[in-house]
Amino acid sequence: MFSLDQLSAFVAVAEELHFGRAAERLNMTQPPLSRQVQKLERAVGARLLERDNRKVELTEAGQAFLVEARRLLALVETAGDLARRVDQGAAGTLRLGFTATSAIRTLGPLLRRMSEELPDVDVILHERVTPAQLDGLLRGELDLGLGRPPFDTDVLDSRVVYREPLCAVVPGNHRLAALGRPLSAGDFAGEQVISYSPTQARYFHELTVRFLAESHPRIEQRVQQILTVILLVAAGRGVALVPASARSLGVEGVAYCDLDLDGTGAGDPVELHAIWRRDATSPVLRRVLTMLPEHH
Amino acid sequence: MFSLDQLSAFVAVAEELHFGRAAERLNMTQPPLSRQVQKLERAVGARLLERDNRKVELTEAGQAFLVEARRLLALVETAGDLARRVDQGAAGTLRLGFTATSAIRTLGPLLRRMSEELPDVDVILHERVTPAQLDGLLRGELDLGLGRPPFDTDVLDSRVVYREPLCAVVPGNHRLAALGRPLSAGDFAGEQVISYSPTQARYFHELTVRFLAESHPRIEQRVQQILTVILLVAAGRGVALVPASARSLGVEGVAYCDLDLDGTGAGDPVELHAIWRRDATSPVLRRVLTMLPEHH
DNA sequence: AGAACATGATTCCCGAAAGGTATCACTCGA
DNA sequence: TCGAGTGATACCTTTCGGGAATCATGTTCT
């Protein structure tokens, strides 16, 4: 088997048709160059260069081999590039889970940035509720998720990528819509409240329950999707609490009211987390994590 | 820059996922194999294998690089093949000149054998009269010609590949066609004889003149192509001498008569030569020459 | 014709690089 | 806790590639 150095030597001589000049181009002297070419010819099993004391020219076999040699060296030049780009996360695949709501404010900008900064990364999108995302992360089906707490922080790491207020959504002609001031928990006394599945949308379920705990509302519906909640509100089935970004969903016939979160803790209680396995090795993931906004 | 050995080492380890077994497969020991892989990783600039004391697995960059490495090694495997085949004359191009007449008996079988035994040789055909072939050979436009003497034997080498009788062609209703015996030179006395161009078809011109020298026929036409001669004979413009193989051209309205070549020398005076440059280096040519029939 | 020159091949030497042996560091299973 | 298994490291030996000098041969100029 020949070596790459021998190929380079041959190509140089074939292009210069002169051992001395070729050696100079290769930053070496002529004797070892002659030997390399001889070795290559023995390895290939054919005379590649016809040479005497006056001239050097390619044999027909040499012409054919020159094409192969150039192609090989070009491949060698570029062989490492892809691996390097993958290693730096600039190429590869990212399997990204997201909830329907996370798509409103976060997913779009993220995908736009990725297609600009990491154009060679293929993003495979999976819309799933948070528990399904967590399961996918643990099974290795997903690299990154956009979901809500809680999750197993021993195995999964996360970062808050969006934080927003909670607000109320009521039918457009509802009495609460006319108040014109932030609503407090007491305003919901006696209201029919649509809430979330305690398992599939646990985060919003708990936010709702926590905010309304003292006012003892009637909570009946148990839905997973925020859009479904709003559609039910629009249909007059009750009122609900949703993240502020839901305003831009553009559902007709509903009104959104700010909430008065006096002592309930800090403002903007709705957190969206980017979630990934602590032991993940994907370079694309690492690279994408550096691109994510961080909200504390 | 990495080496081909390093690529082989990496591929072996990537396939075995075990340095010891990979080393065994490569007929070496484990320590240098580890070093080679390390060097390759430094050359590429990315970690290709994730390894600890218990397991070896490919990183994402490693998976990408493995594909490149395999392709490269496959190219290396086959790179020499083409050159070797060219060198042995089993691949390449043969530029072959031939006269219209030589195609009747010789060209077909030659092309058939070549497509069987040297399927990777491209044959480029040039139909030319002999002088044009000789010119092409000297200019390097042709590798091999099928033509007639004379030519410059200092520069060109040749071999007789076909030998055949001369015969007469006469109109179908001609008196000579009815004789039913070999014709001698005297039979042509007073006949209108169609002959050949002394420059472009010198060989047949001289054969004709030599045979008919004593009988002083009227020689008027000066054509190049044997087929043209026969067509003129069919048109009743005269009689002519042609090689015996012309019988199979299938021209209607003519008759072919054997000649009585008593003292004019040996029988079968019409020679077809394969002609090539003495200094030709083409491996394909050398290989084809070994396939040519030899007639002494 | 002879000398100077040009060019690729050969020879000999040296240093870098590759492979081998022995060993270490670490993990896992009994 | 100990032994087996694995990859990494240290050190030695061998091999291989590059460099300087020289050779063999053909060209060119005087």
Side-chain angles (χ1 to χ4, degrees):
Chain A
M1 175 128 85
F2 52 80
S3 77
L4 294 176
D5 290 338
Q6 286 162 9
L7 283 188
S8 305
F10 167 67
V11 171
V13 176
E15 287 175 352
E16 300 285 349
L17 293 179
H18 188 290
F19 278 73
R21 283 194 298 275
E24 193 177 356
R25 211 173 87 180
L26 295 167
N27 294 316
M28 59 191 289
T29 53
Q30 169 263 319
L33 177 59
S34 287
R35 280 189 313 230
Q36 293 290 28
V37 172
Q38 290 165 10
K39 277 194 171 186
L40 178 63
E41 288 180 324
R42 272 191 289 123
V44 171
R47 187 157 194 86
L48 302 175
L49 291 162
E50 191 61 43
R51 47 200 186 274
D52 58 21
N53 289 324
R54 209 58 206 164
K55 68 182 188 312
V56 178
E57 55 187 20
L58 282 165
T59 64
E60 298 200 1
Q63 291 174 26
F65 191 72
L66 179 58
V67 176
E68 301 286 315
R70 283 215 183 91
R71 180 161 47 190
L72 244 164
L73 290 175
L75 248 179
V76 168
E77 289 289 323
T78 60
D81 292 354
L82 179 61
R84 257 190 304 281
R85 297 224 316 285
V86 170
D87 186 59
Q88 293 163 4
T93 303
L94 182 79
R95 295 160 303 175
L96 176 63
F98 66 100
T99 62
T101 323
S102 71
I104 302 172
R105 294 275 183 223
T106 309
L107 188 62
L110 175 61
L111 294 180
R112 204 168 309 120
R113 278 196 64 195
M114 285 192 62
S115 69
E116 281 169 13
E117 297 182 25
L118 305 175
D120 290 335
V121 171
D122 295 324
V123 180
I124 299 179
L125 293 171
H126 297 262
E127 196 240 293
R128 301 184 182 185
V129 293
T130 299
Q133 286 188 51
L134 301 178
D135 190 55
L137 287 168
L138 295 178
R139 290 167 173 271
E141 298 163 7
L142 294 180
D143 298 304
L144 184 65
L146 294 174
R148 319 278 179 186
F151 42 82
D152 183 353
T153 54
D154 286 346
V155 193
L156 300 175
D157 202 352
S158 78
R159 180 186 304 161
V160 176
V161 292
Y162 193 61
R163 197 189 295 278
E164 60 186 321
L166 198 63
C167 70
V169 55
V170 302
N173 55 1
H174 196 275
R175 66 168 182 94
L176 288 178
L179 287 184
R181 60 162 173 79
L183 307 181
S184 59
D187 294 324
F188 291 87
E191 289 295 332
Q192 176 74 301
V193 173
I194 302 163
S195 186
Y196 300 86
S197 160
T199 59
Q200 299 302 94
R202 177 170 166 186
Y203 187 64
F204 285 110
H205 171 75
E206 293 188 351
L207 277 176
T208 302
V209 169
R210 196 179 310 140
F211 182 76
L212 299 176
E214 313 132 18
S215 57
H216 309 294
R218 293 173 297 161
I219 297 179
E220 290 201 348
Q221 310 291 340
R222 305 290 190 191
V223 303
Q224 295 183 24
Q225 300 276 343
I226 286 176
L227 181 60
T228 313
V229 166
I230 297 175
L231 292 174
L232 290 174
V233 170
R237 305 296 301 266
V239 303
L241 301 185
V242 297
S245 58
R247 292 177 195 255
S248 49
L249 286 176
V251 177
E252 301 274 336
V254 296
Y256 296 90
C257 312
D258 294 339
L259 295 183
D260 179 9
L261 299 154
D262 45 346
T264 20
D268 297 354
V270 185
E271 291 179 348
L272 180 68
H273 290 243
I275 312 167
W276 63 94
R277 283 175 68 130
R278 288 188 184 279
D279 63 358
T281 58
S282 164
V284 173
L285 173 60
R286 298 288 156 195
R287 179 71 176 267
V288 170
L289 289 179
T290 67
M291 292 176 40
L292 285 175
E294 180 140 20
H295 292 74
H296 299 284
Chain B
M1 174 122 87
F2 51 80
S3 77
L4 293 175
D5 290 338
Q6 287 163 9
L7 283 188
S8 305
F10 167 67
V11 171
V13 176
E15 286 176 354
E16 300 285 348
L17 292 180
H18 189 291
F19 278 72
R21 284 195 296 275
E24 191 178 356
R25 211 174 88 179
L26 295 167
N27 294 316
M28 59 190 292
T29 55
Q30 169 262 319
L33 176 58
S34 287
R35 283 193 308 247
Q36 293 289 24
V37 172
Q38 291 165 9
K39 277 195 170 186
L40 177 63
E41 288 180 323
R42 272 192 293 120
V44 172
R47 183 151 257 266
L48 302 175
L49 292 162
E50 189 62 43
R51 46 199 186 276
D52 58 20
N53 288 324
R54 213 57 206 166
K55 68 181 189 312
V56 177
E57 55 187 18
L58 281 165
T59 63
E60 298 200 4
Q63 291 174 28
F65 192 72
L66 179 58
V67 176
E68 302 285 318
R70 283 217 183 90
R71 179 162 43 190
L72 247 164
L73 290 175
L75 245 180
V76 169
E77 288 290 321
T78 60
D81 293 352
L82 179 60
R84 258 189 303 281
R85 297 221 315 284
V86 171
D87 187 57
Q88 293 161 6
T93 303
L94 183 79
R95 296 159 302 174
L96 176 62
F98 66 99
T99 62
T101 323
S102 71
I104 302 171
R105 293 275 182 224
T106 308
L107 188 62
L110 175 61
L111 294 180
R112 204 168 307 121
R113 279 195 64 194
M114 286 192 63
S115 67
E116 281 169 13
E117 298 182 27
L118 305 174
D120 290 336
V121 171
D122 295 323
V123 180
I124 299 179
L125 292 172
H126 298 261
E127 196 240 291
R128 301 185 182 185
V129 293
T130 298
Q133 285 189 52
L134 300 178
D135 190 53
L137 286 168
L138 296 178
R139 288 166 174 271
E141 299 164 7
L142 294 180
D143 297 305
L144 185 65
L146 294 173
R148 320 277 181 187
F151 43 81
D152 181 353
T153 52
D154 286 345
V155 193
L156 300 174
D157 201 354
S158 78
R159 180 186 305 160
V160 177
V161 292
Y162 193 63
R163 197 188 295 277
E164 59 186 323
L166 198 62
C167 69
V169 54
V170 302
N173 54 3
H174 195 275
R175 64 168 184 94
L176 289 177
L179 286 182
R181 59 162 174 80
L183 306 180
S184 58
D187 293 323
F188 290 88
E191 289 294 330
Q192 175 75 300
V193 173
I194 303 164
S195 187
Y196 300 86
S197 160
T199 58
Q200 299 303 91
R202 177 170 167 187
Y203 188 64
F204 285 111
H205 172 75
E206 292 188 352
L207 277 176
T208 302
V209 170
R210 196 178 313 140
F211 182 76
L212 299 176
E214 314 130 19
S215 55
H216 309 294
R218 291 173 299 161
I219 298 179
E220 290 201 348
Q221 311 290 341
R222 305 289 190 192
V223 303
Q224 295 182 26
Q225 299 279 341
I226 286 175
L227 180 59
T228 312
V229 167
I230 297 174
L231 292 173
L232 289 174
V233 169
R237 305 297 299 267
V239 303
L241 302 186
V242 297
S245 58
R247 292 178 195 253
S248 48
L249 285 177
V251 177
E252 301 276 331
V254 297
Y256 297 90
C257 312
D258 294 339
L259 295 182
D260 180 8
L261 299 154
D262 43 347
T264 19
D268 295 354
V270 185
E271 292 180 350
L272 180 67
H273 289 244
I275 312 167
W276 63 92
R277 282 174 68 130
R278 289 188 184 277
D279 65 357
T281 58
S282 164
V284 172
L285 174 60
R286 297 290 155 191
R287 180 69 179 270
V288 170
L289 288 178
T290 66
M291 292 175 41
L292 285 174
E294 179 141 22
H295 292 76
H296 299 283

